[in-house]
Amino acid sequence: MRSVFCQLTLLLLLASAALAAPISGKEPLKVKSDNLTADNEKKTATFEGKVVAHQGELTLYTDRLVVSSDGEGNELSKVEAFGNVRILQGNRQATGGHAVYDPKRGVILLDGNPKVMAGEDVITGKVITYFINEQRSVVTGGPKERVEAVIHPGGKNVGAKP
């Protein structure tokens, strides 16, 4: 039971990190889903069915959320969201079919028709990669998909971080 609790705690922390928001000790992280499966041998916790992870003004929606920890100290090694991924924070929103957070590298990868919106500004591509520690993003296109950005100069998002 203690191991399951540790994995759930790790999952909640990772879900917040996947949204690139600092975890606040003042605000609880709440995760709701239809099912939760914890596998102590594989060191994973899987939330399935209408998953909603919420902390402060940050909310993650997905069909399935898998949180993995490594063998040493139960540190998070990966958080992965599958199906109908939607991340909301203030006036910012990111959507896609799949998202992966690698806490060791500080990288969030969003694919499956990814789109990031801030107010009226929109960026799309084949893969959107966000390097948390460097505060930079890379958007790549593919053979049939080009990177597209719609930016409204002088709008309310000038100077805002995506």
Coordinates of all heavy atoms in Angstrom, one line a residue, residues 5-69:
F5 N 0.9 4.4 -2.7 CA 0.8 5.8 -2.3 C 2.0 6.6 -2.9 O 1.8 7.7 -3.4 CB 0.8 5.9 -0.8 CG 0.7 7.3 -0.3 CD1 -0.4 8.1 -0.5 CD2 1.9 7.9 0.2 CE1 -0.5 9.4 0.0 CE2 1.8 9.3 0.6 CZ 0.7 10.0 0.5
C6 N 3.2 6.1 -2.8 CA 4.4 6.8 -3.4 C 4.2 7.0 -4.9 O 4.5 8.1 -5.4 CB 5.6 6.0 -3.1 SG 6.1 6.0 -1.4
Q7 N 3.7 6.0 -5.6 CA 3.5 6.1 -7.0 C 2.5 7.2 -7.3 O 2.6 7.9 -8.3 CB 3.2 4.8 -7.7 CG 4.4 3.9 -7.7 CD 4.1 2.6 -8.4 OE1 3.0 2.3 -8.8 NE2 5.1 1.8 -8.6
L8 N 1.4 7.2 -6.6 CA 0.3 8.2 -6.8 C 0.9 9.6 -6.6 O 0.6 10.5 -7.3 CB -0.9 7.9 -5.9 CG -1.7 6.7 -6.3 CD1 -2.8 6.5 -5.2 CD2 -2.3 6.8 -7.6
T9 N 1.7 9.7 -5.5 CA 2.3 11.0 -5.2 C 3.2 11.4 -6.4 O 3.1 12.6 -6.8 CB 3.0 11.0 -3.9 OG1 2.1 10.6 -2.9 CG2 3.7 12.3 -3.6
L10 N 4.0 10.5 -6.9 CA 4.9 10.8 -8.0 C 4.1 11.2 -9.2 O 4.5 12.1 -10.0 CB 5.8 9.6 -8.3 CG 6.8 9.3 -7.3 CD1 7.6 8.0 -7.6 CD2 7.8 10.4 -7.1
L11 N 3.0 10.5 -9.5 CA 2.2 10.8 -10.6 C 1.6 12.2 -10.6 O 1.7 12.9 -11.5 CB 1.0 9.8 -10.7 CG 0.0 10.1 -11.8 CD1 0.6 10.0 -13.2 CD2 -1.2 9.2 -11.7
L12 N 1.2 12.6 -9.4 CA 0.6 13.9 -9.3 C 1.7 15.0 -9.5 O 1.5 16.0 -10.1 CB 0.0 14.1 -7.9 CG -1.2 13.1 -7.7 CD1 -1.8 13.3 -6.3 CD2 -2.3 13.4 -8.7
L13 N 2.9 14.7 -8.9 CA 4.0 15.7 -9.1 C 4.4 15.7 -10.6 O 4.6 16.8 -11.1 CB 5.2 15.2 -8.3 CG 5.0 15.3 -6.8 CD1 6.2 14.8 -6.1 CD2 4.7 16.8 -6.4
L14 N 4.4 14.6 -11.3 CA 4.8 14.6 -12.7 C 3.8 15.3 -13.6 O 4.1 16.0 -14.5 CB 5.0 13.2 -13.1 CG 5.6 13.0 -14.5 CD1 6.9 13.8 -14.7 CD2 5.8 11.6 -14.9
A15 N 2.5 15.1 -13.3 CA 1.5 15.7 -14.1 C 1.6 17.2 -14.0 O 1.5 17.9 -15.0 CB 0.1 15.3 -13.6
S16 N 2.0 17.7 -12.9 CA 2.2 19.2 -12.7 C 3.4 19.6 -13.5 O 3.4 20.6 -14.2 CB 2.4 19.6 -11.3 OG 1.2 19.4 -10.6
A17 N 4.5 18.8 -13.4 CA 5.7 19.1 -14.2 C 5.5 19.0 -15.6 O 6.0 19.8 -16.4 CB 6.8 18.2 -13.7
A18 N 4.7 18.1 -16.1 CA 4.4 18.0 -17.5 C 3.7 19.2 -18.0 O 3.8 19.5 -19.2 CB 3.5 16.8 -17.8
L19 N 3.1 19.9 -17.2 CA 2.5 21.2 -17.6 C 3.5 22.3 -17.4 O 3.1 23.5 -17.6 CB 1.2 21.4 -16.8 CG 0.2 20.4 -17.0 CD1 -1.0 20.5 -16.0 CD2 -0.3 20.4 -18.4
A20 N 4.7 22.0 -17.1 CA 5.7 23.0 -16.9 C 5.4 24.1 -15.9 O 5.8 25.2 -16.0 CB 6.1 23.6 -18.3
A21 N 4.7 23.7 -14.9 CA 4.4 24.6 -13.8 C 5.0 24.2 -12.5 O 5.1 23.0 -12.3 CB 2.9 24.7 -13.6
P22 N 5.5 25.1 -11.7 CA 6.1 24.7 -10.5 C 5.0 24.1 -9.6 O 3.9 24.6 -9.6 CB 6.7 26.0 -9.9 CG 5.9 27.1 -10.6 CD 5.5 26.5 -11.9
I23 N 5.4 23.1 -8.8 CA 4.5 22.6 -7.8 C 4.5 23.4 -6.6 O 5.5 23.7 -6.0 CB 4.9 21.1 -7.5 CG1 4.8 20.3 -8.7 CG2 4.0 20.6 -6.4 CD1 5.4 18.9 -8.6
S24 N 3.3 23.8 -6.2 CA 3.1 24.7 -5.1 C 2.7 23.8 -3.9 O 1.8 23.0 -4.0 CB 2.0 25.7 -5.4 OG 1.7 26.4 -4.2
G25 N 3.4 24.0 -2.8 CA 3.1 23.3 -1.6 C 1.7 23.7 -1.0 O 1.2 23.1 -0.1
K26 N 1.2 24.9 -1.5 CA 0.0 25.4 -0.9 C -1.2 24.9 -1.6 O -2.3 24.9 -1.1 CB 0.0 26.9 -1.0 CG 1.2 27.6 -0.2 CD 1.2 29.1 -0.4 CE 2.3 29.7 0.4 NZ 2.4 31.1 0.2
E27 N -1.1 24.5 -2.9 CA -2.2 24.0 -3.6 C -2.2 22.5 -3.9 O -1.1 22.0 -4.3 CB -2.3 24.7 -5.0 CG -2.5 26.2 -4.8 CD -2.7 26.9 -6.1 OE1 -3.6 26.5 -6.9 OE2 -2.0 27.9 -6.3
P28 N -3.2 21.8 -3.6 CA -3.2 20.4 -3.8 C -3.3 20.0 -5.3 O -3.9 20.7 -6.1 CB -4.5 19.9 -3.0 CG -5.4 21.1 -3.1 CD -4.5 22.3 -3.0
L29 N -2.8 18.9 -5.6 CA -2.9 18.3 -7.0 C -4.0 17.3 -6.9 O -4.0 16.4 -6.0 CB -1.6 17.7 -7.4 CG -1.7 17.0 -8.8 CD1 -2.0 18.0 -9.9 CD2 -0.4 16.3 -9.1
K30 N -5.0 17.4 -7.7 CA -6.1 16.4 -7.7 C -6.2 15.7 -9.1 O -6.1 16.4 -10.1 CB -7.4 17.2 -7.5 CG -7.5 17.9 -6.2 CD -8.8 18.7 -6.1 CE -8.8 19.5 -4.8 NZ -10.0 20.4 -4.7
V31 N -6.3 14.4 -9.0 CA -6.4 13.6 -10.2 C -7.7 12.8 -10.1 O -7.9 12.1 -9.1 CB -5.2 12.7 -10.4 CG1 -5.4 11.8 -11.7 CG2 -3.9 13.4 -10.5
K32 N -8.5 12.8 -11.2 CA -9.7 12.0 -11.2 C -9.6 11.2 -12.5 O -9.2 11.6 -13.5 CB -10.9 12.9 -11.2 CG -11.2 13.7 -9.9 CD -12.5 14.4 -10.0 CE -12.8 15.1 -8.7 NZ -14.1 15.8 -8.7
S33 N -10.1 10.0 -12.4 CA -10.2 9.1 -13.5 C -11.2 8.0 -13.2 O -11.7 7.8 -12.1 CB -8.8 8.4 -13.9 OG -8.4 7.6 -12.8
D34 N -11.6 7.2 -14.3 CA -12.5 6.1 -14.1 C -11.8 4.9 -13.4 O -12.4 4.2 -12.6 CB -13.1 5.7 -15.4 CG -14.0 6.7 -16.0 OD1 -14.5 7.6 -15.3 OD2 -14.2 6.7 -17.2
N35 N -10.5 4.7 -13.7 CA -9.7 3.6 -13.1 C -8.3 4.0 -12.8 O -7.7 4.9 -13.5 CB -9.7 2.4 -14.2 CG -11.1 1.9 -14.5 OD1 -11.8 1.4 -13.6 ND2 -11.4 2.0 -15.7
L36 N -7.7 3.3 -11.9 CA -6.3 3.5 -11.5 C -5.7 2.1 -11.3 O -6.3 1.3 -10.6 CB -6.1 4.3 -10.2 CG -4.7 4.3 -9.6 CD1 -3.7 4.9 -10.5 CD2 -4.8 5.0 -8.3
T37 N -4.6 1.9 -12.1 CA -3.9 0.6 -11.9 C -2.5 0.9 -11.5 O -1.8 1.6 -12.2 CB -3.9 -0.2 -13.2 OG1 -5.2 -0.4 -13.7 CG2 -3.2 -1.5 -13.1
A38 N -2.0 0.4 -10.4 CA -0.7 0.6 -9.9 C 0.1 -0.7 -10.0 O -0.4 -1.8 -9.6 CB -0.6 1.1 -8.5
D39 N 1.2 -0.7 -10.7 CA 2.0 -1.9 -10.9 C 3.4 -1.7 -10.1 O 4.2 -1.0 -10.7 CB 2.3 -2.2 -12.3 CG 3.0 -3.5 -12.6 OD1 3.8 -3.9 -11.8 OD2 2.7 -4.1 -13.7
N40 N 3.5 -2.2 -9.0 CA 4.7 -2.0 -8.2 C 6.0 -2.6 -8.8 O 7.1 -2.1 -8.7 CB 4.6 -2.6 -6.8 CG 3.5 -1.9 -6.0 OD1 3.3 -0.7 -6.2 ND2 2.9 -2.5 -5.0
E41 N 5.8 -3.7 -9.5 CA 7.0 -4.4 -10.2 C 7.5 -3.5 -11.3 O 8.7 -3.3 -11.5 CB 6.6 -5.7 -10.7 CG 7.8 -6.5 -11.3 CD 7.4 -7.9 -11.6 OE1 6.7 -8.6 -10.9 OE2 7.8 -8.4 -12.7
K42 N 6.6 -3.0 -12.1 CA 7.0 -2.1 -13.2 C 7.2 -0.6 -12.8 O 7.6 0.2 -13.6 CB 5.9 -2.1 -14.4 CG 5.9 -3.5 -15.0 CD 4.8 -3.5 -16.1 CE 4.7 -4.8 -16.8 NZ 3.7 -4.8 -17.9
K43 N 6.8 -0.3 -11.6 CA 6.9 1.0 -11.0 C 6.1 2.0 -11.9 O 6.6 3.0 -12.3 CB 8.3 1.4 -10.8 CG 9.0 0.5 -9.8 CD 10.4 1.1 -9.4 CE 11.0 0.1 -8.4 NZ 11.8 0.7 -7.5
T44 N 4.8 1.7 -12.2 CA 4.0 2.5 -12.9 C 2.6 2.7 -12.2 O 2.2 1.8 -11.5 CB 3.7 2.0 -14.4 OG1 3.1 0.7 -14.3 CG2 5.0 1.9 -15.2
A45 N 2.0 3.8 -12.5 CA 0.6 4.1 -12.1 C -0.1 4.6 -13.3 O 0.4 5.5 -14.0 CB 0.6 5.1 -11.0
T46 N -1.2 3.9 -13.7 CA -1.9 4.2 -14.9 C -3.3 4.7 -14.5 O -4.1 3.9 -13.9 CB -2.0 3.0 -15.8 OG1 -0.7 2.6 -16.1 CG2 -2.7 3.3 -17.1
F47 N -3.7 5.9 -14.9 CA -5.0 6.5 -14.7 C -5.7 6.3 -16.1 O -5.1 6.8 -17.1 CB -5.0 7.9 -14.3 CG -4.5 8.1 -12.9 CD1 -3.1 8.3 -12.7 CD2 -5.3 8.2 -11.9 CE1 -2.7 8.5 -11.4 CE2 -4.9 8.4 -10.6 CZ -3.5 8.6 -10.3
E48 N -6.9 5.8 -16.1 CA -7.6 5.6 -17.4 C -9.0 6.1 -17.3 O -9.7 5.9 -16.3 CB -7.6 4.1 -17.8 CG -6.2 3.6 -18.1 CD -6.2 2.2 -18.6 OE1 -6.4 1.3 -17.7 OE2 -6.1 2.0 -19.8
G49 N -9.5 6.6 -18.4 CA -10.9 7.0 -18.5 C -11.2 8.4 -18.0 O -11.2 8.7 -16.8
K50 N -11.3 9.3 -18.9 CA -11.7 10.7 -18.6 C -10.8 11.3 -17.5 O -11.2 11.8 -16.4 CB -13.1 10.8 -18.1 CG -14.1 10.3 -19.2 CD -15.5 10.4 -18.6 CE -16.5 9.6 -19.5 NZ -17.7 9.3 -18.9
V51 N -9.5 11.2 -17.7 CA -8.5 11.7 -16.7 C -8.5 13.2 -16.6 O -8.4 13.8 -17.7 CB -7.1 11.1 -17.0 CG1 -6.1 11.6 -16.0 CG2 -7.1 9.6 -17.1
V52 N -8.5 13.7 -15.4 CA -8.4 15.1 -15.2 C -7.4 15.3 -14.0 O -7.7 14.9 -12.9 CB -9.8 15.8 -14.8 CG1 -9.6 17.3 -14.6 CG2 -10.8 15.5 -15.9
A53 N -6.3 16.0 -14.3 CA -5.3 16.3 -13.3 C -5.4 17.9 -13.1 O -5.2 18.6 -14.1 CB -3.9 15.9 -13.7
H54 N -5.5 18.3 -11.9 CA -5.7 19.8 -11.7 C -4.9 20.3 -10.5 O -4.9 19.6 -9.5 CB -7.2 20.0 -11.4 CG -7.6 21.5 -11.2 ND1 -7.7 22.4 -12.2 CD2 -7.8 22.1 -10.0 CE1 -8.0 23.6 -11.7 NE2 -8.1 23.4 -10.3
Q55 N -4.2 21.4 -10.7 CA -3.5 22.0 -9.6 C -3.5 23.5 -9.9 O -3.0 24.0 -10.9 CB -2.1 21.5 -9.4 CG -1.4 22.2 -8.2 CD 0.0 21.7 -8.1 OE1 0.8 21.5 -9.0 NE2 0.5 21.6 -6.8
G56 N -4.0 24.3 -9.0 CA -4.0 25.7 -9.2 C -4.8 26.1 -10.4 O -5.9 25.6 -10.7
E57 N -4.2 26.8 -11.3 CA -4.8 27.2 -12.6 C -4.4 26.3 -13.7 O -4.7 26.5 -14.9 CB -4.6 28.7 -12.9 CG -3.1 29.0 -13.3 CD -2.9 30.4 -13.7 OE1 -3.4 31.3 -13.0 OE2 -2.3 30.6 -14.8
L58 N -3.8 25.2 -13.4 CA -3.3 24.3 -14.4 C -4.1 23.0 -14.4 O -4.4 22.4 -13.4 CB -1.8 23.9 -14.1 CG -1.1 23.1 -15.2 CD1 -0.8 24.1 -16.3 CD2 0.1 22.6 -14.6
T59 N -4.6 22.6 -15.6 CA -5.4 21.4 -15.7 C -5.0 20.6 -17.0 O -4.8 21.2 -18.0 CB -6.9 21.8 -15.9 OG1 -7.3 22.6 -14.8 CG2 -7.8 20.5 -15.9
L60 N -4.9 19.3 -16.8 CA -4.6 18.3 -17.8 C -5.7 17.4 -18.0 O -6.2 16.8 -17.0 CB -3.3 17.5 -17.5 CG -3.0 16.3 -18.3 CD1 -2.6 16.7 -19.7 CD2 -1.9 15.5 -17.7
Y61 N -6.2 17.2 -19.3 CA -7.2 16.3 -19.6 C -6.6 15.3 -20.6 O -5.9 15.6 -21.5 CB -8.4 17.0 -20.3 CG -9.1 18.0 -19.5 CD1 -8.7 19.3 -19.6 CD2 -10.2 17.7 -18.7 CE1 -9.4 20.3 -18.9 CE2 -10.9 18.7 -18.0 CZ -10.5 20.0 -18.1 OH -11.1 20.9 -17.4
T62 N -6.9 14.0 -20.4 CA -6.5 13.0 -21.3 C -7.3 11.7 -21.1 O -8.0 11.6 -20.1 CB -5.0 12.7 -21.1 OG1 -4.5 11.8 -22.1 CG2 -4.7 12.1 -19.8
D63 N -7.2 10.8 -22.1 CA -7.8 9.5 -21.9 C -7.1 8.6 -21.0 O -7.7 7.8 -20.2 CB -8.0 8.8 -23.3 CG -8.9 9.6 -24.2 OD1 -9.7 10.3 -23.8 OD2 -8.7 9.4 -25.5
R64 N -5.8 8.6 -21.0 CA -4.9 7.7 -20.2 C -3.7 8.5 -19.8 O -3.0 9.1 -20.6 CB -4.6 6.5 -21.0 CG -3.8 5.5 -20.1 CD -3.8 4.1 -20.8 NE -3.3 4.1 -22.2 CZ -2.2 3.5 -22.6 NH1 -1.4 2.8 -21.8 NH2 -1.9 3.6 -23.9
L65 N -3.3 8.4 -18.5 CA -2.1 9.0 -18.0 C -1.2 7.9 -17.3 O -1.7 7.2 -16.4 CB -2.4 10.1 -17.0 CG -1.3 10.9 -16.5 CD1 -0.7 11.8 -17.6 CD2 -1.8 11.9 -15.4
V66 N 0.0 7.7 -17.8 CA 0.9 6.7 -17.2 C 2.1 7.4 -16.6 O 2.8 8.1 -17.3 CB 1.4 5.7 -18.3 CG1 2.3 4.7 -17.7 CG2 0.2 5.0 -19.0
V67 N 2.3 7.1 -15.3 CA 3.4 7.7 -14.6 C 4.4 6.6 -14.2 O 4.0 5.6 -13.7 CB 2.9 8.4 -13.3 CG1 4.1 9.0 -12.5 CG2 1.9 9.5 -13.7
S68 N 5.6 6.8 -14.6 CA 6.7 5.8 -14.3 C 7.7 6.4 -13.4 O 8.1 7.5 -13.5 CB 7.3 5.4 -15.7 OG 6.4 4.9 -16.6
S69 N 8.3 5.5 -12.5 CA 9.4 5.9 -11.7 C 10.5 5.0 -11.9 O 10.4 3.8 -12.4 CB 9.0 5.9 -10.2 OG 8.6 4.6 -9.8

